[in-house]
Amino acid sequence: MSKQYFPSGKEEIQEMLKEIGVSSVSQLFESIPEELKIKEKLNIPGPLDEISLLNYFEEISKKNNFLNYTSFLGAGAYNHFIPYIVDYLSMRGEFLTPYTPYQPELSQGTLQTIFEYQTLISKITGMEISNASLYDGGSAAAEAALMATRLRKGSKILISRTIHPEWKDVIHTYFKNLSYEILEIPYSREGKININILKKSLDKDSIAFIIQHPNFFGIIEDIKEISKIVKQNGSLFLVGIAEPISLGILRPPGESDVDIVFGEAQSFGIPLSFGGPYLGFLSTKMEYLRQMPGRLAGETVDRNGKRGFVLTLTTREQHIKREKATSNICTNEAWCALRATIYLETMGKQGLREVSYQNLQKALYAKERISELKNVKLKFNSSNFNEFVVEYNKDPEEVNDKLKERNILGGFILKKDYPELEKCALLCVTETHKKEDIDYFIDCLKKIL
């Protein structure tokens, strides 16, 4: 019976351990620090029959009451409207059953959607080529930074302090054992990158400068001006996009001579769900093709002239010599990329622009209403997209607790990642918010503050 779920028995496990030269399964996990290991038994019930199991999860699901709340929380995780066609088409068996196109001749549909996904990402970022997706925005940021080290010689990478804090953590993790300095460039009083400090920090050892746009505070950076400064130093300019809906209304980074554009595409048809799944993207110039991580699907014709799709570039350790691989990425996010493709093709150019416009206008309305309140103020006087920072006269955690009592999820509290913004929170407004939602939020703030 146990083999129904665990294909290897005790004797087989011992045989495998003996073959690889270890005495126990626990020895395989010795590299994990003891303080991180769970010693006690997991708090899960014993075996259940099918009906009991369904009832058990149904009871648990009743605890999910998120529909009762209106969320103003963004910070890299955005609540956008998803047309029903995205769910319907992406759930078709033809798309769900292929895993990843190791056998291109068997997965033409998957390869075609990946090809279309790459084309769409290239168009909205204004870049020449895009890869076939990465795990998430954080890993895309780190892969972009690693790619820069392969393209330019130097000893340090400059990153903006207003990059998503979790993206910065991932970059530091990837570079932990590499001999590169990661130098953080602070933000100005306006919440934008401090241009003067950036100019002073750039030198012959600077490989690249990485910025987020709009930045983590939701502020729109002057990409064109920054690009000129970075290029005059001979460094690469990398731009991260956490909220790609903004590209429906903002000029594509590729028009400002950006070298690599990376980011998170969760906003394109992927719902929020306990932190995942997410979808990283990376696009670049054609001249950097060979140093791009991941894989690339291409279009061709067969011997009979029929249109077909193939894996064109797979600079991975499974396909080429390990030391020449540009990444150890073992799979991609093909299904998430499929949802992004369906979303973008459903919305079209005008639809994406309309969604982007609604995000911008509703956020402006919320900013205007909040600026009329006492005991709260807008922290930065700069142009935003759909997020902005407010400063309360109280502890923002206390404010959020009282908002939650009124069925509102407040803003992202910034003091953990930005101690200097102790009483500040990052609010987010998207096209899903009705005017009544924003007005109710403002009325609640009036009573709380």
Side-chain angles (χ1 to χ4, degrees):
M1 185 65 183
S2 63
K3 285 195 174 186
Q4 184 172 348
Y5 300 104
F6 302 100
S8 301
K10 290 182 180 178
E11 292 180 359
E12 292 162 313
I13 291 173
Q14 287 304 318
E15 188 177 343
M16 287 189 284
L17 293 174
K18 184 180 177 182
E19 184 67 24
I20 61 176
V22 296
S23 58
S24 65
V25 173
S26 60
Q27 198 177 341
L28 298 173
F29 301 101
E30 283 184 344
S31 60
I32 300 174
E34 286 299 315
E35 65 270 21
L36 298 180
K37 294 179 182 175
I38 299 174
K39 303 292 184 353
E40 64 273 16
K41 287 186 176 180
L42 295 176
N43 182 25
I44 55 176
L48 299 173
D49 58 68
E50 187 170 350
I51 292 177
S52 302
L53 188 66
L54 290 172
N55 290 336
Y56 173 75
F57 282 111
E58 190 173 340
E59 286 300 315
I60 290 178
S61 69
K62 291 178 181 175
K63 297 179 182 178
N64 293 327
N65 59 354
F66 67 94
L67 291 176
N68 297 332
Y69 291 86
T70 302
S71 175
F72 289 87
L73 187 63
Y78 301 102
N79 186 28
H80 289 295
F81 173 73
I82 300 174
Y84 182 71
I85 193 173
V86 177
D87 287 335
Y88 176 76
L89 291 179
S90 66
M91 293 297 285
R92 286 183 64 96
E94 301 93 316
F95 290 126
L96 281 178
T97 51
Y99 168 55
T100 189
Y102 287 119
Q103 298 80 31
E105 69 279 7
L106 298 178
S107 308
Q108 281 296 299
T110 300
L111 283 166
Q112 179 172 346
T113 57
I114 290 176
F115 179 80
E116 291 179 14
Y117 163 81
Q118 294 167 178
T119 304
L120 290 164
I121 294 295
S122 294
K123 280 183 176 292
I124 64 171
T125 58
M127 303 301 286
E128 292 175 310
I129 50 171
S130 295
N131 74 359
S133 76
L134 295 164
Y135 291 132
D136 56 20
S139 60
E143 291 285 357
L146 284 175
M147 182 176 164
T149 65
R150 297 191 292 271
L151 293 169
R152 288 283 191 281
K153 290 183 179 178
S155 60
K156 64 180 179 182
I157 291 179
L158 280 56
I159 62 174
S160 166
R161 182 161 165 71
T162 52
I163 279 184
H164 195 303
E166 292 174 359
W167 291 11
K168 278 193 290 186
D169 287 346
V170 178
I171 292 174
H172 281 287
T173 300
Y174 271 53
F175 279 75
K176 183 179 178 181
N177 296 314
L178 301 177
S179 55
Y180 295 100
E181 177 191 4
I182 296 179
L183 182 65
E184 194 166 285
I185 306 298
Y187 58 86
S188 65
R189 293 179 63 181
E190 290 76 34
K192 295 182 175 183
I193 192 66
N194 192 313
I195 295 291
N196 291 330
I197 295 180
L198 173 63
K199 288 179 178 176
K200 292 176 183 174
S201 303
L202 284 165
D203 58 26
K204 63 181 179 56
D205 294 321
S206 304
I207 296 170
F209 176 54
I210 309 174
I211 198 170
Q212 181 176 319
H213 170 68
N215 68 28
F216 190 66
F217 300 150
I219 294 172
I220 299 168
E221 297 277 4
D222 190 341
I223 294 297
K224 200 169 184 178
E225 181 190 2
I226 298 170
S227 179
K228 286 180 182 175
I229 295 168
V230 176
K231 292 306 175 66
Q232 284 172 357
N233 188 68
S235 303
L236 296 169
F237 186 32
L238 281 56
V239 174
I241 309 285
E243 174 49 294
I245 292 291
S246 64
L247 294 174
I249 206 166
L250 296 180
R251 189 185 301 278
E255 293 184 11
S256 300
D257 196 21
V258 172
D259 295 290
I260 302 172
V261 180
F262 62 91
E264 171 58 60
Q266 173 265 317
S267 291
F268 294 154
I270 301 171
L272 297 173
S273 179
F274 302 99
Y278 274 22
L279 172 65
F281 65 84
L282 189 148
S283 54
T284 187
K285 297 176 177 177
M286 186 63 77
E287 62 187 287
Y288 303 146
L289 169 68
R290 288 286 171 185
Q291 296 304 328
M292 189 170 63
R295 63 183 71 177
L296 190 75
E299 181 184 25
T300 186
V301 292
D302 64 14
R303 65 170 63 179
N304 299 316
K306 292 182 179 176
R307 186 189 188 206
F309 299 89
V310 293
L311 278 182
T312 307
L313 183 76
T314 53
T315 52
R316 307 165 59 216
E317 77 287 355
Q318 286 180 322
H319 298 145
I320 62 175
K321 291 180 180 178
R322 182 176 292 273
E323 64 272 19
K324 290 184 179 295
T326 56
S327 169
N328 69 345
I329 291 174
C330 299
T331 185
N332 65 24
E333 301 272 298
W335 190 73
C336 293
L338 168 69
R339 289 185 65 93
T341 304
I342 298 170
Y343 176 87
L344 287 171
E345 291 180 347
T346 300
M347 301 302 287
K349 190 174 181 180
Q350 291 302 322
L352 184 62
R353 181 172 296 166
E354 174 62 24
V355 174
S356 187
Y357 181 75
Q358 287 195 28
N359 276 254
L360 180 65
Q361 291 301 313
K362 291 186 176 183
L364 284 173
Y365 175 71
K367 279 178 67 176
E368 187 179 323
R369 291 293 319 274
I370 285 176
S371 66
E372 297 168 356
L373 298 178
K374 294 179 180 178
N375 300 323
V376 57
K377 64 179 182 180
L378 300 172
K379 180 62 181 176
F380 302 113
N381 183 25
S382 297
S383 298
N384 300 73
F385 179 61
N386 63 359
E387 291 177 284
F388 53 92
V389 177
V390 294
E391 185 171 24
Y392 300 124
N393 68 332
K394 293 182 177 178
D395 187 330
E397 290 185 24
E398 183 185 341
V399 175
N400 275 2
D401 287 343
K402 291 185 176 178
L403 285 170
K404 195 172 181 180
E405 292 171 2
R406 294 164 170 81
N407 293 341
I408 290 175
L409 300 180
F412 180 85
I413 295 171
L414 291 165
K415 64 182 177 183
K416 174 177 173 290
D417 301 294
Y418 301 91
E420 69 275 19
L421 302 177
E422 187 180 359
K423 292 189 175 180
C424 293
L426 178 66
L427 296 174
C428 178
V429 180
T430 73
E431 78 279 7
T432 61
H433 289 94
K434 300 188 292 289
K435 179 177 179 294
E436 295 79 20
D437 298 329
I438 299 171
D439 289 342
Y440 176 64
F441 174 57
I442 301 298
D443 289 342
C444 290
L445 280 181
K446 271 185 189 175
K447 294 171 183 171
I448 293 170
L449 297 173

